[in-house]
Amino acid sequence: MIRIVLTALAAFALSGCVILADSADVDLDYNVGDDDAIQTYRVEGLPDWAPFSSVVRAGETIYVSGHLGRLPGTETIVEGGAGPETTQTMANIATSLELAGAKLDQLTRCTVYLTDMMDYAAMNAAYAEALGATRPARVTAGVQELALGARVEIACTAYAPDWD
């Protein structure tokens, strides 16, 4: 229960609000309203209907929105199934990370969504190839459907302390 409340409070704080709490279990004084505290980036070609940033940098932590295997600048998903989609998705994630001054080897956690868990092996092989020796924590979940008819969506978090 406390984890859920703290997660909700952290998300609220990222919106630029000030949170003050004082209890026996929680002692927060979290202020991220400074101009440079949160920076958002959108990759070129992200559709106007998409009301989110491609990547958000909050200090040394980078949050990468769920990415699909779409061809850059389009709403077209690459052909060939989960393997090629994962390869393109990871390339798209690398592009977003670069906007915020980071690279794939700085990923700390990824969440992978698959519309068919039978695609796990193909996704896993392409994911491992894209990351090389990097091994962030990961969750893989099966879902009924993804945007644009994609088979794979990946969201990530990265740690990038070397920021000017």
Side-chain angles (χ1 to χ4, degrees):
M1 176 66 176
I2 290 175
R3 180 184 302 169
I4 293 169
V5 171
L6 289 176
T7 301
L9 289 173
F12 184 70
L14 287 176
S15 70
C17 299
V18 176
I19 298 174
L20 297 173
D22 189 13
S23 75
D25 296 330
V26 180
D27 185 15
L28 298 176
D29 185 5
Y30 194 67
N31 181 355
V32 290
D34 298 333
D35 291 342
D36 294 331
I38 297 177
Q39 298 161 341
T40 61
Y41 306 87
R42 282 176 63 91
V43 294
E44 191 172 329
L46 190 63
D48 289 337
W49 57 259
F52 56 85
S53 297
S54 305
V55 62
V56 175
R57 184 174 191 113
E60 297 177 339
T61 304
I62 297 172
Y63 301 94
V64 181
S65 292
H67 278 49
L68 307 174
R70 60 184 190 87
L71 296 170
T74 74
E75 294 183 36
T76 304
I77 301 295
V78 298
E79 295 182 3
E85 278 190 43
T86 301
T87 299
Q88 185 62 54
T89 298
M90 296 307 293
N92 294 345
I93 289 170
T95 298
S96 288
L97 285 169
E98 191 174 300
L99 291 173
K103 298 182 184 299
L104 288 175
D105 64 0
Q106 292 172 291
L107 291 175
T108 57
R109 185 174 194 279
C110 293
T111 302
V112 179
Y113 302 97
L114 296 174
T115 58
D116 186 346
M117 290 304 285
M118 296 300 291
D119 287 336
Y120 183 86
M123 174 282 299
N124 202 50
Y127 176 91
E129 184 174 332
L131 290 176
T134 301
R135 295 289 185 254
R138 187 178 87 188
V139 172
T140 303
V143 297
Q144 185 173 359
E145 191 172 48
L146 293 169
L148 304 179
R151 300 177 67 87
V152 178
E153 182 170 356
I154 302 174
C156 303
T157 305
Y159 176 67
D162 299 326
W163 183 248
D164 297 331

